[in-house]
Amino acid sequence: MVSKMKYYISILLVLAGIYQSRAALDAHYYAETCPEAESIIFEAVHDASAHDPKVPARLLRMFFHDCFIRGCDASVLVDSTPNNKAEKDGPPNLSLAAFYVIDAAKTKLEKACPKTVSCADILAVAARDVVVLSGGPTWRVAAGRKDGKISSANETINLPSPSSNTSQLIQSFAQRGLSAKDLVALSGGHTLGFSHCSSFEGRLRNFSAAHDTDPTLHPKLAAELKRKCPKPNGDRNAGQFLDATSSIFDNDYYRRVAGGEGVFVSDQSLLGDYRTRWIVEAFARDQGLFFKEFADSMIRLGNVGVVEAGGQVRQNCRLVN
């Protein structure tokens, strides 16, 4: 009887732990422990963006890359050590930048509220703030994430690639509990930013046995990209903005994809797949709809992988405690 009672108590404790971990993610999580947390993060993001217009795109991309590996646990922020090659040094992440913005916010938060605000939450709030600063929608960021203790470059092989097709992307998103609509909405983050030639040059030459250039690429854009990315190319900084208003968060990205001007294979394939084409076309017509769906999808993305035991609040985002 005693052993049975212990068994039932242990089951109840496990269930209680699960529900507590789910309930812990809350928009008012720091209301008592660090009420100024969001304003401190916003100030750091605002100041950096004012000095460098590339910051919004870089922080938004950093958040995506973090959440897609081990969930939203700030593992992408960890520096490599002699004994461990971390995520940020995996091939898909070598072009990530603006880590200093998260460092600046963390330094201020440690002074205001020591050992309280996780790096994972800082990155989630910063991703929302750069969208707002760029003219996009806002949403309430639920907080309470913990920082992960593991960061491995090898795992970045699981990140979606610019050369992925829609079927591959849908599968990748589904593995993280995200839908085809989330895929199309979050791809709209490409409204901000720039890509180097290496991410799309496979579409420009020797594309297939039948086509030298990707036939889904608009001929005018193909000619422009070939001019910007010649062979051989001595300019390491050469590339292309991902839409015509690359510093403004809007729906121009979808209008370009609908017109055959998506820069990546992953962008343009969204128009060629019946599961996603109608969403691309809807967002191209209606910016308000895109804003609503993007905000909802960012909330869902921010929930990926947060119900995990064994996390911590790092005092330095680059180092596991």
Side-chain angles (χ1 to χ4, degrees):
M1 184 69 178
V2 173
S3 61
K4 278 189 176 181
M5 187 65 103
K6 286 182 178 178
Y7 171 77
Y8 288 125
I9 289 173
S10 66
I11 291 296
L12 287 170
L13 288 172
V14 168
L15 290 173
I18 291 172
Y19 287 118
Q20 284 173 0
S21 63
R22 289 180 184 275
L25 209 61
D26 176 43
H28 304 289
Y29 187 81
Y30 296 114
E32 295 183 6
T33 56
C34 193
E36 63 269 49
E38 289 204 14
S39 62
I40 290 173
I41 297 168
F42 180 83
E43 182 182 6
V45 171
H46 177 272
D47 290 351
S49 300
H51 286 93
D52 183 357
K54 298 176 183 176
V55 163
R58 287 172 168 174
L59 291 181
L60 187 57
R61 182 168 177 249
M62 189 187 297
F63 180 63
F64 289 159
H65 282 224
D66 181 49
C67 291
F68 261 73
I69 303 298
R70 293 188 168 270
C72 307
D73 67 347
S75 52
V76 76
L77 304 179
V78 175
D79 282 346
S80 293
T81 68
N83 299 318
N84 179 63
K85 189 175 181 181
E87 277 178 39
K88 64 169 59 170
D89 290 319
N93 287 339
L94 292 175
S95 57
L96 291 180
F99 293 100
Y100 71 92
V101 183
I102 305 301
D103 294 337
K106 183 61 172 175
T107 298
K108 292 179 180 179
L109 285 165
E110 283 300 306
K111 290 179 180 177
C113 325
K115 304 178 183 179
T116 302
V117 182
S118 70
C119 302
D121 280 342
I122 295 172
L123 186 52
V125 173
R128 186 270 315 275
D129 290 347
V130 296
V131 171
V132 173
L133 286 169
S134 303
T138 189
W139 59 93
R140 298 180 76 176
V141 178
R145 298 167 187 79
K146 293 296 184 283
D147 299 325
K149 298 178 182 178
I150 298 172
S151 181
S152 173
N154 291 335
E155 295 183 357
T156 60
I157 194 173
N158 296 315
L159 283 168
S161 162
S163 60
S164 298
N165 61 43
T166 297
S167 291
Q168 292 168 327
L169 292 170
I170 287 175
Q171 182 180 13
S172 178
F173 273 64
Q175 289 169 351
R176 292 156 177 85
L178 300 170
S179 68
K181 184 184 285 187
D182 292 321
L183 160 62
V184 181
L186 293 172
S187 293
H190 288 167
T191 185
L192 300 178
F194 174 88
S195 172
H196 291 101
C197 296
S198 58
S199 294
F200 57 80
E201 61 187 359
R203 305 183 72 193
L204 306 181
R205 300 172 184 88
N206 303 316
F207 180 73
S208 68
H211 301 279
D212 184 53
T213 303
D214 184 347
T216 67
L217 183 61
H218 193 286
K220 183 179 178 181
L221 178 62
E224 179 185 349
L225 296 179
K226 285 181 179 180
R227 179 178 56 80
K228 291 182 176 180
C229 303
K231 281 289 188 181
N233 186 3
D235 184 0
R236 296 177 60 186
N237 296 317
Q240 173 74 6
F241 290 106
L242 300 181
D243 80 4
T245 56
S246 60
S247 63
I248 300 171
F249 196 96
D250 57 18
N251 69 335
D252 185 65
Y253 161 82
Y254 297 103
R255 293 197 293 268
R256 288 179 68 88
V257 171
E261 296 184 14
V263 175
F264 298 146
V265 168
S266 59
D267 293 330
Q268 199 57 52
S269 70
L270 297 175
L271 188 71
D273 192 298
Y274 72 94
R275 293 168 292 182
T276 51
R277 181 186 184 100
W278 66 277
I279 310 173
V280 170
E281 292 173 339
F283 291 167
R285 289 191 303 268
D286 189 339
Q287 180 167 283
L289 175 64
F290 163 51
F291 277 14
K292 177 187 179 300
E293 295 295 344
F294 182 84
D296 290 346
S297 292
M298 283 293 283
I299 291 170
R300 284 189 285 274
L301 175 64
N303 289 332
V304 172
V306 298
V307 186
E308 292 182 358
Q312 59 182 216
V313 175
R314 289 186 216 132
Q315 293 170 257
N316 178 338
C317 292
R318 295 173 179 265
L319 304 172
V320 174
N321 292 346

